[in-house]
């Protein structure tokens, strides 16, 4: 089970941190993927663009290879059970642990004029989404590790307090095909690629070929290593990290050898990265545009997905209410 907020176009961080794993999981697991439109409201209270954005996220997920016939692809707000579980879990979440969350502290810094209670309890809503499906594996990027640990704590607390020896909720684990959780860096050499920070330093799945080339061209570099085997600065390491994601292994090897031999030309490196990104993104962009324009199809997908996810949600909530002693007749 996993979700992506509908705050705008998806970028390479969303693809490599999340969607790529969704696509790989769909043949092996019973999967639930949702558009987190309620989480979006914590930072984007204006809903004018919401419908468009929800459609866009759905279209981009499908364009990346997610098959709505195989997985439940749904919209968070279509499952009213989420709000109920969120309420119960809020009673088990301590304000102290919520205030210490890294993402909360980041968001307070970014949106000082809108530090709402929803932002503080963001990890509780995320736990509700996951626990509602009684999910065991959660494909997410590295930035979500702490939230997932909190979801495990809420599950454990619930089981301990109300489970009477039974585990109502399994403990969800972060999941990534391959060794480690992925963090896709921003092109400006600072932090992770993100929808809300520097938009020119993020490559979106909707970017035109020229936008991609221009953004890559402006990525932070310097005049290059002056001696062989110079340690690599972070911002150059970031460029290589992006190259590893979209380019062929022999291309990566060549530029690494050039760097180590101090003969690298960053102009060539960026040109190669730009072209490989264009080739990677173009087909996704074109498919997503076609899907987004088909509102009837998107509606069918959302209804079908919500129906599948609701089945689990209902049975979970019956167990939850009964375990909590909230059934009086
Ligand atoms: P969000 O856009 O915050 O709703 O995130 C949706 C998914 O994309 C989550 O699983 C994140 O972990 C993942 N994600 C977002 N940005 C990055 C990034 N720069 N690198 C890796 N994963 C990311």
């Amino acid at each position: 089970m996993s979700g992506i907020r509908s705050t705008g176009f998806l970028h390479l961080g969303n693809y490599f941190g999340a969607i790529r794993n969704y696509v790989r999981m769909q043949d092996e697991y019973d999967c639930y993927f949702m558009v987190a439109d309620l989480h979006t409201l914590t930072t984007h209270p204006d809903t004018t663009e919401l419908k468009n954005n929800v459609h866009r996220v759905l279209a981009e997920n499908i364009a990346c290879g997610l098959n709505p016939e195989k997985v439940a692809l749904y919209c968070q707000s279509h499952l009213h059970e989420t709000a109920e579980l969120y309420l119960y879990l809020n009673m088990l979440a301590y304000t102290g642990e919520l205030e210490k969350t890294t993402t909360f502290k980041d968001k307070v810094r970014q949106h000082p004029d809108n530090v709402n209670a929803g932002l503080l309890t963001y990890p509780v809503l995320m736990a509700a989404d996951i626990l509602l499906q009684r999910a065991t594996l959660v494909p997410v990027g590295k930035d979500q590790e702490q939230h997932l640990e909190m979801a495990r704590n809420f599950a454990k607390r619930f089981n301990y307090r109300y489970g009477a020896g039974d585990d109502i909720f399994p403990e969800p684990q972060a999941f990534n095909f391959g060794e480690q959780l992925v963090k896709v860096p921003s092109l400006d050499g600072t932090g992770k690629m993100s929808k809300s920070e520097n938009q020119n330093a993020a490559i979106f799945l909707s970017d035109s070929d020229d936008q991609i080339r221009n953004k890559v061209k402006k990525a932070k570099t310097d005049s290059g290593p002056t001696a062989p085997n110079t340690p690599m600065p972070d911002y150059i390491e970031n460029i290589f990290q992006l190259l590893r994601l979209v380019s062929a292994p022999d291309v990566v090897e060549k530029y690494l050898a050039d760097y180590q031999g101090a003969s690298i030309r960053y102009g060539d490196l960026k040109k190669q990265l730009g072209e490989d990104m264009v080739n990677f993104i173009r087909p996704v962009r074109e498919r997503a545009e076609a899907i987004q324009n088909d509102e009837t199809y998107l509606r069918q997908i959302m209804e079908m997905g919500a129906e599948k996810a609701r089945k689990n949600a209902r049975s979970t909530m019956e167990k939850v209410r009964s375990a909590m002693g909230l059934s009086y007749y």
Side-chain angles (χ1 to χ4, degrees):
M1 191 280 147
S2 194
I4 297 188
R5 286 173 306 146
S6 45
T7 41
F9 297 115
L10 299 185
H11 51 73
L12 284 181
N14 299 129
Y15 179 80
F16 288 105
I19 304 175
R20 180 173 63 165
N21 282 312
Y22 301 178
V23 175
R24 290 178 178 174
M25 284 178 100
Q26 67 184 347
D27 292 318
E28 276 178 58
Y29 298 93
D30 190 14
C31 297
Y32 296 82
F33 298 126
M34 59 163 214
V35 183
D37 56 334
L38 300 177
H39 274 112
T40 303
L41 297 176
T42 60
T43 48
H44 294 64
D46 181 353
T47 52
T48 333
E49 284 300 312
L50 196 54
K51 181 177 171 187
N52 236 344
N53 286 341
V54 166
H55 285 185
R56 182 79 206 176
V57 174
L58 285 169
E60 286 183 334
N61 271 280
I62 300 168
C64 289
L66 210 62
N67 181 349
E69 302 286 336
K70 285 188 189 160
V71 306
L73 183 58
Y74 62 102
C75 202
Q76 187 182 28
S77 61
H78 289 168
L79 258 62
H80 296 165
E81 290 82 357
T82 311
E84 187 187 348
L85 184 56
Y86 170 57
L87 186 143
Y88 301 151
L89 293 178
N90 266 318
M91 315 299 179
L92 297 174
Y94 301 113
T95 50
E97 67 187 329
L98 296 171
E99 280 161 353
K100 273 194 291 194
T101 316
T102 313
T103 43
F104 176 67
K105 289 195 271 187
D106 286 349
K107 296 258 168 75
V108 170
R109 196 174 35 78
Q110 287 160 15
H111 310 269
D113 51 341
N114 184 19
V115 183
N116 59 75
L119 208 52
L120 182 67
T121 54
Y122 188 109
V124 186
L125 181 55
M126 179 165 156
D129 297 321
I130 297 167
L131 301 182
L132 193 59
Q133 302 301 334
R134 307 228 299 287
T136 48
L137 302 178
V138 185
V140 281
K142 194 160 176 51
D143 56 329
Q144 295 294 325
E145 235 173 358
Q146 192 180 27
H147 286 170
L148 217 43
E149 191 184 338
M150 294 172 86
R152 279 195 292 280
N153 286 338
F154 301 147
K156 275 191 273 197
R157 254 174 243 168
F158 187 97
N159 291 340
Y160 179 72
R161 184 168 289 267
Y162 299 116
D166 278 343
D167 279 353
I168 308 288
F169 296 124
E171 288 177 32
Q173 307 295 333
F175 179 82
N176 184 58
F177 274 95
E179 340 62 66
Q180 285 160 347
L181 297 187
V182 175
K183 176 182 157 191
V184 178
S186 159
L187 284 172
D188 60 8
T190 65
K192 65 167 183 172
M193 191 173 280
S194 135
K195 287 176 209 162
S196 38
E197 303 261 317
N198 181 1
Q199 305 244 324
N200 287 325
I203 304 272
F204 293 92
L205 300 182
S206 56
D207 279 346
S208 70
D209 294 356
D210 282 343
Q211 275 172 317
I212 299 169
R213 290 189 185 105
N214 284 334
K215 284 181 184 178
V216 174
K217 208 195 262 172
K218 290 194 191 121
K220 180 174 169 152
T221 49
D222 51 31
S223 51
T226 46
N229 301 319
T230 309
M232 209 180 261
D234 284 354
Y235 47 91
I236 301 295
E237 176 58 43
N238 287 352
I239 295 185
F240 273 98
Q241 215 176 314
L242 293 166
L243 197 73
R244 278 186 207 101
L245 294 173
V246 293
S247 303
D250 57 327
V251 170
V252 180
E253 288 310 314
K254 174 207 167 330
Y255 283 101
L256 268 179
D258 287 353
Y259 182 88
Q260 275 144 10
S263 63
I264 192 162
R265 287 169 29 170
Y266 288 144
D268 293 349
L269 170 68
K270 290 204 258 184
K271 208 166 186 183
Q272 174 85 43
L273 179 63
E275 286 318 307
D276 289 344
M277 278 204 180
V278 164
N279 288 331
F280 177 78
I281 286 175
R282 188 191 293 138
V284 175
R285 180 185 66 225
E286 290 173 354
R287 275 198 299 274
E289 277 163 9
I291 298 166
Q292 193 180 2
N293 291 330
D294 191 347
E295 287 211 15
T296 316
Y297 172 67
L298 288 175
R299 187 191 167 135
Q300 279 167 1
I301 301 293
M302 279 188 272
E303 282 174 353
M304 190 168 71
E307 199 45 51
K308 281 192 218 165
R310 219 174 268 133
K311 268 200 198 121
N312 265 348
R314 287 200 181 122
S315 99
T316 302
M317 289 319 290
E318 274 167 27
K319 285 194 177 68
V320 165
R321 287 183 214 115
S322 156
M324 291 180 78
L326 295 173
S327 35
Y328 310 126
Y329 45 79

